[in-house]
Amino acid sequence: MTIATVILAAGLGKRMKSKRAKVLHAIAGRPMILYSVETARRLPSDKILVVVAHQAEAVKQVLERQPTQIIHQGRPLGTGHAVLQTQSALANFPGPVLILNADVPLITVETIQSMLKTHQDRGDELTLLTATFSNPKGYGRVIRNPDGDLISIVEEADATPAQRALREVNTGFYVANAPFLFSALKELTSDNSQQEYYLTDIVQIAVRQGLKSGAVQAPDSEEVTGINTQADLARIERAVRRRIAERHLSEGVTLLDPPSAWIDADVTIGRDTLIYPNVHLEGASRIGEDCVIHSHTRINNCRLGTAVTVMDSCVLTESVLEEGATVGPFAHLRAGTVLHKGAKIGNFVEVKKTEMGEGSKANHLTYLGDAAIGKEVNIGAGTITCNYDGVNKHQTIIEDHVFVGSDTQLIAPVRVGRGAVIGAGSTITRDVPPDSLAVGRARQEIKKGWARRRKKAKGKDKEEIVKSRKE
Ligand code: UD1
Ligand code: CA
């Protein structure tokens, strides 16, 4: 059976009290809307239609590489009005239409499949997914007759106190046959407390027309929890994070404290990697096998090879760390950093757009920006690449086997040739030829006996002062 899937994503989400459209808020680093799209992609969806209105351009951008068709709602006048906009896109579509609310991201494919199966087996025109909530606040209530047949859905804002006491809710997932769906949608009115065209009114329309409709109960309440407020979002975020941590544990990753491992949805981690408490792995980071990542470290969109060690309190962004590289503690790797095999970046070192060759080291207190550093180079403590002249950025090139003494400033553009040595405390302004020594600092002067003479002179001063006071 093929279906058409319609994802409702046009609302602003007033109850979020945010400037950003609700479906653009991230859950585990991934925009909310992508959760529904992924569910749709894992079902036999012949077409995936996403209805947008608020911040449509931004939503479209998020969906750029997804196999979705965008449907504009113009003004979002309600969920029923939203589905009606898909009519021409679905003209002549023979199969059933699945409708998803984009603000219910945790729904599982299995639950929807059981809904589709029931719909088909029973030959109904309309099938709903309902759930029983201990606290049904904010949801539409499912009204049934004494025999248990569906009668209607009543939104909380329109419900009587007796209806509000009902705990069976509408979860926002529907399967409907296209001809029935679009004929029912044309009958909707906005004659309700919110003056919206409610999709939920198609239930009573089916009943009135004597068409068969039914409901499937969701197996657990978490997967059908909708996000209407920031508090809902925080709760769902936690649930998603828990699922992600469980997945990594099941794939052989060691998380010393799963609840504090903050791992985004698209991150991959190799087995036998050890993650200490309070580590953030963000974006599309790829972490290899046998890595060790210590506490209070944030890794955003990086690629780590096998057996990379990141010590405590590091920030790594858009960088590549090859096998056996070591970073930190307290290091900052900014975008464009590449550490080749076994390279080492130590304490209080900042690196930007710089390549460190195999086995090269910058162990302490250093800034490396716009540099290309060869193999087995030693960068002494306190080295600074002066890459910015106030107007432009310039490159520093350090070839293989160079030794840069501590407290060196390399004024870019500058090249240090293979095997050269730079004396500590140098300011290097000109290229250094291979295998040579460069020293660029004031020559040391020695004045013998100077310190002793000064001490004596001071002593004299004191005696004189004491004497003058006595007099
Ligand atoms: C809706 C249901 C309610 C159900 C709940 C489940 C209606 C009238 N009510 O209520 O019965 O219990 O979901 O979570 O359907 N949207 C549009 N266009 C619009 C309005 C909304 O695309 O004009 C989208 C929103 O972006 C959102 C979804 O539809 O993704 C649901 O809208 P929302 O306003 O959150 O509906 P609820 O009040 O939660
Ligand atoms: Ca909602």
Side-chain angles (χ1 to χ4, degrees):
M1 173 181 46
T2 60
I3 54 170
T5 301
V6 174
I7 300 174
L8 303 186
L12 172 64
K14 277 190 220 116
R15 290 164 281 180
M16 292 290 283
K17 307 213 169 129
S18 164
K19 293 185 288 297
R20 197 153 19 125
K22 179 162 68 179
V23 298
L24 293 175
H25 281 261
I27 302 169
R30 184 194 277 170
M32 190 186 301
I33 178 72
L34 291 184
Y35 286 81
S36 302
V37 172
E38 191 185 318
T39 305
R41 290 180 67 169
R42 290 171 58 206
L43 290 161
S45 305
D46 187 51
K47 286 171 178 230
I48 303 173
L49 309 176
V50 183
V51 183
V52 301
H54 274 292
Q55 293 167 23
E57 284 313 307
V59 178
K60 259 161 93 175
Q61 216 167 17
V62 167
L63 296 175
E64 209 170 49
R65 277 180 309 211
Q66 300 292 331
T68 53
Q69 186 180 337
I70 304 287
I71 305 288
H72 286 271
Q73 197 187 350
R75 272 199 312 141
L77 300 178
T79 48
H81 180 256
V83 178
L84 189 57
Q85 311 312 307
T86 67
Q87 186 175 22
S88 54
L90 293 180
N92 311 321
F93 185 77
V97 180
L98 167 70
I99 301 165
L100 313 178
N101 277 3
D103 62 353
V104 189
L106 292 194
I107 189 74
T108 62
V109 170
E110 294 70 31
T111 298
I112 292 183
Q113 272 163 344
S114 89
M115 212 180 142
L116 289 168
K117 187 170 183 309
T118 305
H119 183 77
Q120 208 170 27
D121 291 353
R122 291 174 40 118
D124 284 350
E125 287 294 331
L126 171 66
T127 304
L128 308 180
L129 183 68
T130 70
T132 304
F133 282 1
S134 52
N135 177 10
K137 194 171 180 303
Y139 291 85
R141 308 298 203 277
V142 177
I143 313 296
R144 293 174 183 270
N145 70 16
D147 293 335
D149 301 326
L150 289 179
I151 300 218
S152 64
I153 293 169
V154 177
E155 291 306 293
E156 184 165 271
D158 304 294
T160 63
Q163 289 170 330
R164 282 187 192 204
L166 297 171
R167 294 190 304 124
E168 187 184 7
V169 303
N170 169 34
T171 63
F173 297 90
Y174 319 76
V175 185
N177 294 342
F180 156 71
L181 177 65
F182 292 108
S183 78
L185 289 175
K186 281 196 208 106
E187 289 187 35
L188 295 184
T189 65
S190 58
D191 185 14
N192 51 54
S193 65
Q194 301 183 82
Q195 292 173 350
E196 284 183 5
Y197 295 89
Y198 290 163
L199 174 59
T200 46
D201 284 348
I202 63 174
V203 176
Q204 66 197 49
I205 294 170
V207 172
R208 201 193 310 138
Q209 294 180 357
L211 298 171
K212 276 179 69 188
S213 54
V216 171
Q217 276 269 339
D220 87 287
S221 57
E222 187 179 271
E223 66 172 283
V224 290
T225 298
I227 298 176
N228 294 320
T229 63
Q230 297 280 358
D232 294 333
L233 178 64
R235 241 190 325 273
I236 294 292
E237 173 92 23
R238 192 156 282 280
V240 172
R241 300 261 175 211
R242 196 188 61 234
R243 286 187 185 185
I244 292 170
E246 279 163 9
R247 169 162 58 83
H248 290 296
L249 290 169
S250 76
E251 288 169 355
V253 176
T254 304
L255 302 175
L256 291 183
D257 180 32
S260 78
W262 205 250
I263 305 171
D264 278 358
D266 296 324
V267 170
T268 63
I269 311 175
R271 63 186 173 159
D272 289 313
T273 280
L274 168 60
I275 297 182
Y276 279 76
N278 295 309
V279 164
H280 291 229
L281 303 176
E282 300 175 345
S285 293
R286 305 260 168 280
I287 315 290
E289 292 188 6
D290 300 313
C291 292
V292 181
I293 302 172
H294 289 262
S295 296
H296 311 298
T297 280
R298 183 153 74 86
I299 299 182
N300 182 288
N301 284 310
C302 291
R303 220 170 64 221
L304 275 60
T306 309
V308 169
T309 302
V310 183
M311 300 299 292
D312 305 71
S313 301
C314 293
V315 177
L316 280 59
T317 310
E318 291 167 43
S319 296
V320 176
L321 287 73
E322 288 181 3
E323 187 179 338
T326 308
V327 178
F330 305 105
H332 186 187
L333 305 189
R334 293 163 53 197
T337 297
V338 179
L339 305 185
H340 289 289
K341 258 186 164 175
K344 190 169 175 226
I345 294 295
N347 314 252
F348 303 104
V349 175
E350 175 183 347
V351 187
K352 185 213 77 171
K353 243 196 220 170
T354 286
E355 201 163 328
M356 284 284 273
E358 243 180 85
S360 290
K361 295 184 176 117
N363 279 338
H364 328 268
L365 302 164
T366 286
Y367 172 62
L368 300 172
D370 303 300
I373 299 170
K375 286 183 208 164
E376 303 295 338
V377 168
N378 186 64
I379 305 281
T383 297
I384 294 171
T385 53
C386 307
N387 57 332
Y388 185 50
D389 60 14
V391 183
N392 294 307
K393 299 274 170 72
H394 302 282
Q395 224 203 359
T396 301
I397 297 169
I398 302 178
E399 295 178 358
D400 298 348
H401 302 288
V402 163
F403 180 93
V404 178
S406 295
D407 191 27
T408 291
Q409 300 106 56
L410 297 146
I411 315 270
V414 72
R415 174 188 287 267
V416 182
R418 192 186 161 87
V421 170
I422 295 176
S426 290
T427 300
I428 301 298
T429 54
R430 284 179 293 141
D431 288 359
V432 178
D435 296 315
S436 46
L437 168 69
V439 186
R441 63 183 180 227
R443 192 175 283 278
Q444 184 170 324
E445 258 185 73
I446 299 285
K447 296 184 177 170
K448 280 197 175 152
W450 183 90
R452 193 176 350 104
R453 284 199 297 278
R454 184 179 66 163
K455 242 183 241 160
K456 265 193 182 162
K458 265 194 177 166
K460 232 186 225 164
D461 287 352
K462 247 190 212 161
E463 274 166 31
E464 268 164 21
I465 292 165
V466 174
K467 232 164 95 190
S468 66
R469 276 200 189 147
K470 278 183 184 164
E471 275 168 7

